[in-house]
Amino acid sequence: MTRTFPILAFLCLWAGSLLAQSLVKQADTQFSQLAYAKAIELYEQALAKPASLSTEELRLAKTRLGYSYQQIRDMVNAERVYRDLISSGSLSPEDNQYYLYYAQSLASNGKYREAQEAYEKYSALQTTDKRGPAFSKLYRDLTPLTKNAASYKVEFLRMNTRKAEFSPMLYKDGLVFVSSKSGGAGIKRVFNWNSTPFLDLHYLPEVKGLRAAKASSLGGSAAKQPVPRTQLIRPLGSDDFTSPTANDSRTVGFFGGNNISQGYEDKLISEADRFSQTLNTKYHEGPASFTKDGSRVIFTRNNYTNGKYGQSTDRINKLKLYTSSHTNGYWSEAEELPFNSDEFSTGHPALAKDKNGTPDQLLYFASDRPGGFGGTDIYVSRWNKGNWGEPVNLGPTVNSKGNELFPFVDEKGNLYFSSDGHPGLGDLDMFYANLVADGTSATNIRNLGEPLNSPKDDFGIVTDGNRQRGYFSSNRKNGGADDDLYRFTREGSLYPCRELTVSVFDAETREPLINTTVAVDNASANGQKQLQTDAEGLVRFCVDVDNEFSFLASRDGYLDNKIGFSTKDMADDQPSRLDIPLSRSKGSAKAAGTVSTLRGRVIAQSDKKPMASVKVVMINECDGSSQETTTTEDGSYSFSITSGCDYSLEAIKNDMGTTGSHIAKDGTGATELVMFRKGDVIKIDNIYYDLNKSTIRPDAAVELDKVVALMTKYPTMRIEMRSHTDSRATSTYNNTLSANRAKAAVAYLKSKGIPAKRMIAKGYGETLLLNGCKDGVNCSETDHQQNRRTEIKILSMD
């Protein structure tokens, strides 16, 4: 009897090991067939018993599980699996792509700082892929993609259902779109990739009466953290019932989902019946494009013609483009376009006019055909003598190592497309570019930014030549494959910023004048900027739209020259150049170039208004000499400085303080001095904490050291250290977390010699939000970051 228990225990362990290995084999089979939803379930069951699997089996199962979650756009779980993989150190040198996937999942979840670090790690391992440095650079400063967010109003359409609606296209007075609302040809079939129905074209005859939900949470918002789901975004050219091929790029392309969430209606508000029984089959249809007169359609469909199901040599059912004409109220039998192939996928058509203005002469589309730059590329074919010509790849300016999809061309020849290969806010972002005359390439690729883009998938835009209004698709509301239609209206400027180059040179010799001071003022009262020309006599920066500027160039031995510049009524965002010639003063010898004038102003912290009669002291750090002056009525001051030296600036006024400023020998540094008094609140920039923790990180310590210096400078000053969170998580949790972070910051200051009696720690949780990102409102990560801040309030100065 005593031998029975060891034998039973061995048999149980042996059976458990066999079960785990069997589950992995079943999961691998589903994975190879692109049935990711089923693969996830099996991998999770197998990984629940990790001791039963070898190290290599564990590594393979986790990499495939993470990839499966990424394909169904459950990026929260994708991040979890990839984080575990990377932290465990189990990845081999051949697994570098998982650092890329990890970075992508972090960005999709709005964690841009961590995504930046992950992209830098990927760049170090994969030096030939330029995506890493490009994305890492963007995530250091997302301002270029957020500064024009207020120009657009984005509305969620109440016609959306619990199913997927995406890729809108204007047709007559209505809207044609793709939806998984019902099965094709009366047959309900399910797509195993994510267990959702196949897609059909639908038509909404009237768009004028479309109702919209309130857009407070939609403008560039990040999705709520989704619950684990089995929805996903389908790739261009993949199906669920055959094995993939080496040519089959598992890339984003077809979208579907059946997520149930509040805010959706059970039925379409208007009649949005299946577009045509002739066009819709029992497999996928859509997206589509129509000729200008509406008489012909070109649309995407699985390789399924005349009731016959086609496959590649490796038994993959690819996607193809078909065309049909509309006669006497009926659509004709669909015909294939000549550049289709059983061996690769072709889809996402967009018709456009040629350089002569003749409509429907160019056809843009996405394809994973051989010879491209990445997963899927954008191509163009020209209509010539009754036939579509050989497709031309739009080249590396448009196409990347990632995926370019969903092209659209407006009446002015602007190309719109979606990409996950160009730097963006996460997942698919929408871009636009200017097509060259023949339409075979493009220039000036630009990200549309918030609120049209978000950390989730944004794609399928249709709009007018001025981008005044239009429609697009996004899964920002709930993530996954829960795609919805949105309407947008532009209420502000089309162009948020213009790159301006200011050239300062000798009026007589035309020689560039280096280290010359250029003072910039603008009508919006954003403050004066003090700039220095570089080694080529140039200053480069970005100027706002609908604004007026004045530039004052000054240099010892030369006469000052002031020139105005306006961005009002400019019809593009192309770079501009402004020349400022300087003439020598009478009787002066050739300018020595060693002395110049530094100008600045002093403003109040509370209202940002200029302050008069403030004493300003400048110390030359080369020799320790100092100069003093007093600000004028407009708060301005000026000093003579010698090139090659660093300078420090201080402003002095009774019962007030300032952080001061430092001007480097290359001319960089802020000349605008901000003064604070009792009751003012000062934000401390760049204070970051690890998720759900209050430990002071090394990068936060650097910023807190500046507070130490400030309190040492003003030994009688008392402060309240204030910590704030965003609205995510419960209010109780946020109050506790913020209080602990404030206490940690005070403890750090105390460790640096600041007496405890001079400091109070207080956590405000989510009670003092700076914007509308309260509970129940979806916001972008940038908006949430604005609320996650650390501040000091000046309690007293005496």
Side-chain angles (χ1 to χ4, degrees):
M1 188 69 176
T2 57
R3 297 179 181 178
T4 304
F5 291 107
I7 293 173
L8 287 174
F10 171 76
L11 289 175
C12 289
L13 288 173
W14 180 68
S17 177
L18 287 180
L19 175 60
Q21 292 172 359
S22 174
L23 288 170
V24 168
K25 288 182 180 179
Q26 294 177 55
D28 289 344
T29 299
Q30 298 296 330
F31 182 87
S32 67
Q33 294 178 355
L34 312 184
Y36 295 116
K38 296 177 181 177
I40 286 172
E41 182 179 354
L42 293 166
Y43 281 130
E44 290 285 18
Q45 292 180 37
L47 290 172
K49 302 179 183 296
S52 304
L53 301 173
S54 68
T55 301
E56 180 62 13
E57 287 173 332
L58 275 172
R59 183 187 70 84
L60 284 174
K62 288 182 178 180
T63 57
R64 291 172 178 174
L65 175 62
Y67 186 82
S68 297
Y69 273 125
Q70 191 169 15
Q71 293 308 295
I72 70 166
R73 283 307 196 259
D74 184 349
M75 303 304 262
V76 172
N77 275 313
E79 177 194 332
R80 169 180 61 83
V81 176
Y82 289 140
R83 188 187 296 273
D84 178 57
L85 266 171
I86 291 172
S87 62
S88 68
S90 60
L91 292 176
S92 66
E94 291 74 31
D95 292 332
N96 291 340
Q97 71 271 23
Y98 292 104
Y99 289 93
L100 172 65
Y101 300 158
Y102 179 48
Q104 291 172 337
S105 64
L106 286 167
S108 178
N109 294 329
K111 299 179 180 179
Y112 295 117
R113 184 176 178 85
E114 289 184 79
Q116 175 199 334
E117 296 171 353
Y119 272 115
E120 288 177 349
K121 176 67 173 178
Y122 174 69
S123 299
L125 297 171
Q126 200 75 23
T127 57
T128 59
D129 192 342
K130 303 305 180 184
R131 284 177 292 179
F135 276 86
S136 181
K137 179 181 178 181
L138 172 65
Y139 293 158
R140 291 189 191 101
D141 180 15
L142 285 169
T143 304
L145 300 188
T146 61
K147 59 191 172 187
N148 203 35
S151 288
Y152 291 92
K153 176 185 178 183
V154 175
E155 299 172 289
F156 173 84
L157 297 180
R158 293 185 62 82
M159 61 165 284
N160 291 306
T161 69
R162 292 185 176 96
K163 307 296 183 179
E165 286 82 29
F166 65 93
S167 278
M169 178 58 65
L170 295 174
Y171 175 66
K172 297 184 177 179
D173 294 326
L175 203 66
V176 171
F177 58 95
V178 185
S179 178
S180 60
K181 181 174 181 288
S182 61
I187 301 174
K188 287 189 176 181
R189 294 182 59 89
V190 170
F191 194 55
N192 286 342
W193 180 301
N194 65 338
S195 301
T196 59
F198 277 77
L199 303 165
D200 281 332
L201 292 169
H202 291 251
Y203 178 45
L204 188 66
E206 294 287 341
V207 296
K208 292 181 180 179
L210 276 177
R211 290 188 292 162
K214 292 183 179 179
S216 59
S217 64
L218 303 178
S221 61
K224 293 179 180 178
Q225 297 285 41
V227 296
R229 64 180 79 224
T230 56
Q231 287 90 349
L232 63 111
I233 296 173
R234 290 188 266 277
L236 181 66
S238 297
D239 62 85
D240 56 288
F241 35 78
T242 53
S243 302
T245 68
N247 182 55
D248 189 39
S249 60
R250 300 175 184 174
T251 56
V252 178
F254 281 102
F255 295 70
N258 56 0
N259 182 54
I260 298 176
S261 176
Q262 289 185 342
Y264 290 86
E265 301 189 10
D266 291 331
K267 298 179 180 179
L268 295 176
I269 298 302
S270 302
E271 292 295 329
D273 297 329
R274 298 248 313 286
F275 190 57
S276 168
Q277 294 293 335
T278 305
L279 302 183
N280 286 322
T281 66
K282 61 183 179 180
Y283 297 112
H284 289 307
E285 275 81 31
S289 182
F290 297 88
T291 56
K292 188 175 182 180
D293 62 5
S295 65
R296 181 166 289 274
V297 61
I298 297 177
F299 64 97
T300 315
R301 176 194 282 172
N302 282 101
N303 186 357
Y304 183 77
T305 307
N306 297 324
K308 296 182 179 180
Y309 167 80
Q311 292 181 329
S312 65
T313 53
D314 289 336
R315 300 179 61 80
I316 292 292
N317 179 257
K318 301 291 184 176
L319 297 176
K320 292 185 175 183
L321 286 176
Y322 295 81
T323 184
S324 176
S325 58
H326 193 261
T327 307
N328 298 324
Y330 294 92
W331 289 100
S332 66
E333 191 70 27
E335 300 175 2
E336 277 195 52
L337 267 61
F339 44 75
N340 286 327
S341 171
D342 290 345
E343 302 303 320
F344 53 78
S345 286
T346 307
H348 303 182
L351 287 163
K353 62 184 179 182
D354 63 10
K355 62 181 178 181
N356 298 318
T358 307
D360 311 320
Q361 298 298 295
L362 298 175
L363 175 62
Y364 294 85
F365 60 89
S367 178
D368 62 354
R369 60 180 52 219
F373 292 89
T376 52
D377 284 4
I378 305 295
Y379 292 81
V380 61
S381 174
R382 183 180 300 278
W383 181 257
N384 186 27
K385 297 180 180 179
N387 293 292
W388 289 109
E390 184 65 22
V392 176
N393 189 295
L394 289 193
T397 302
V398 171
N399 295 312
S400 70
K401 293 195 71 172
N403 308 294
E404 282 66 50
L405 303 152
F406 300 99
F408 169 77
V409 180
D410 66 24
E411 69 267 24
K412 289 188 175 180
N414 297 307
L415 170 71
Y416 292 82
F417 63 95
S418 289
S419 172
D420 62 8
H422 294 289
L425 294 170
D427 293 349
L428 282 177
D429 268 25
M430 296 184 290
F431 296 79
Y432 74 99
N434 305 119
L435 289 168
V436 300
D438 65 358
T440 59
S441 62
T443 59
N444 301 321
I445 301 297
R446 282 173 171 75
N447 189 302
L448 290 179
E450 290 187 346
L452 300 183
N453 284 322
S454 72
K456 298 302 180 181
D457 283 307
D458 305 289
F459 59 98
I461 188 172
V462 291
T463 184
D464 56 89
N466 294 318
R467 209 181 310 135
Q468 194 65 48
R469 57 185 58 85
Y471 300 86
F472 68 96
S473 333
S474 178
N475 68 341
R476 65 182 62 184
K477 193 173 181 67
N478 290 292
D482 195 3
D483 304 306
D484 298 302
L485 298 179
Y486 292 82
R487 178 171 59 201
F488 72 88
T489 306
R490 181 166 62 83
E491 299 179 329
S493 173
L494 181 60
Y495 304 112
C497 174
R498 172 180 294 269
E499 182 181 324
L500 177 65
T501 300
V502 177
S503 173
V504 184
F505 53 89
D506 187 293
E508 182 179 351
T509 66
R510 310 293 292 183
E511 290 292 321
L513 297 177
I514 66 174
N515 295 326
T516 299
T517 301
V518 179
V520 185
D521 282 294
N522 68 77
S524 63
N526 288 333
Q528 186 187 73
K529 293 181 180 179
Q530 192 87 13
L531 307 172
Q532 296 283 122
T533 58
D534 60 17
E536 297 177 337
L538 304 177
V539 171
R540 297 181 177 90
F541 61 102
C542 188
V543 294
D544 300 330
V545 297
D546 297 327
N547 211 334
E548 294 181 347
F549 300 82
S550 65
F551 298 87
L552 176 65
S554 58
R555 181 185 180 92
D556 277 12
Y558 287 83
L559 298 175
D560 291 354
N561 191 1
K562 188 173 184 178
I563 294 180
F565 181 81
S566 176
T567 56
K568 291 185 177 181
D569 301 322
M570 286 189 168
D572 59 49
D573 61 349
Q574 299 306 300
S576 296
R577 182 184 178 94
L578 181 66
D579 290 339
I580 305 181
L582 295 186
S583 300
R584 289 195 182 97
S585 303
K586 289 183 179 181
S588 67
K590 188 174 181 179
T594 59
V595 179
S596 60
T597 302
L598 181 145
R599 291 180 173 85
R601 68 174 182 172
V602 178
I603 64 172
Q605 166 72 33
S606 57
D607 56 13
K608 301 299 187 286
K609 291 183 178 181
M611 297 182 61
S613 303
V614 176
K615 181 179 178 181
V616 183
V617 178
M618 183 185 72
I619 299 175
N620 185 328
E621 296 184 3
C622 286
D623 57 16
S625 62
S626 64
Q627 300 179 50
E628 294 183 6
T629 189
T630 302
T631 58
T632 59
E633 287 298 321
D634 62 356
S636 63
Y637 66 87
S638 65
F639 292 107
S640 294
I641 60 174
T642 303
S643 60
C645 289
D646 290 353
Y647 291 87
S648 60
L649 292 167
E650 291 290 344
I652 302 172
K653 191 173 180 65
N654 290 340
D655 301 323
M656 297 191 74
T658 180
T659 56
S661 183
H662 181 269
I663 307 299
K665 56 174 60 72
D666 62 0
T668 58
T671 60
E672 186 169 82
L673 303 178
V674 181
M675 300 206 73
F676 53 81
R677 55 167 56 92
K678 178 181 177 180
D680 283 346
V681 175
I682 304 172
K683 181 182 176 183
I684 308 173
D685 292 325
N686 304 317
I687 296 291
Y688 299 105
Y689 299 86
D690 289 327
L691 183 64
N692 297 327
K693 294 183 179 180
S694 57
T695 306
I696 301 298
R697 296 184 354 183
D699 52 355
V702 172
E703 299 303 318
L704 288 174
D705 285 340
K706 297 177 183 178
V707 181
V708 173
L710 184 64
M711 298 196 69
T712 302
K713 178 179 174 182
Y714 298 103
T716 61
M717 185 174 72
R718 294 178 61 251
I719 66 169
E720 177 186 85
M721 182 65 68
R722 301 150 62 97
S723 178
H724 305 265
T725 69
D726 58 38
S727 62
R728 293 178 289 190
T730 65
S731 58
T732 301
Y733 177 85
N734 285 334
N735 287 337
T736 302
L737 179 63
S738 62
N740 289 339
R741 288 178 171 177
K743 291 175 183 177
V746 165
Y748 180 85
L749 299 182
K750 184 179 178 181
S751 72
K752 295 295 183 177
I754 306 300
K757 64 181 181 181
R758 296 179 59 195
M759 300 175 289
I760 297 174
K762 189 168 182 179
Y764 287 84
E766 58 184 87
T767 61
L768 295 177
L769 300 176
L770 296 177
N771 49 38
C773 297
K774 59 185 180 180
D775 290 339
V777 176
N778 290 339
C779 289
S780 68
E781 180 60 23
T782 302
D783 290 336
H784 281 306
Q785 179 63 59
Q786 187 179 2
N787 292 320
R788 296 194 304 270
R789 65 198 189 278
T790 300
E791 302 166 333
I792 59 173
K793 182 177 181 179
I794 311 302
L795 299 179
S796 67
M797 292 292 298
D798 50 16

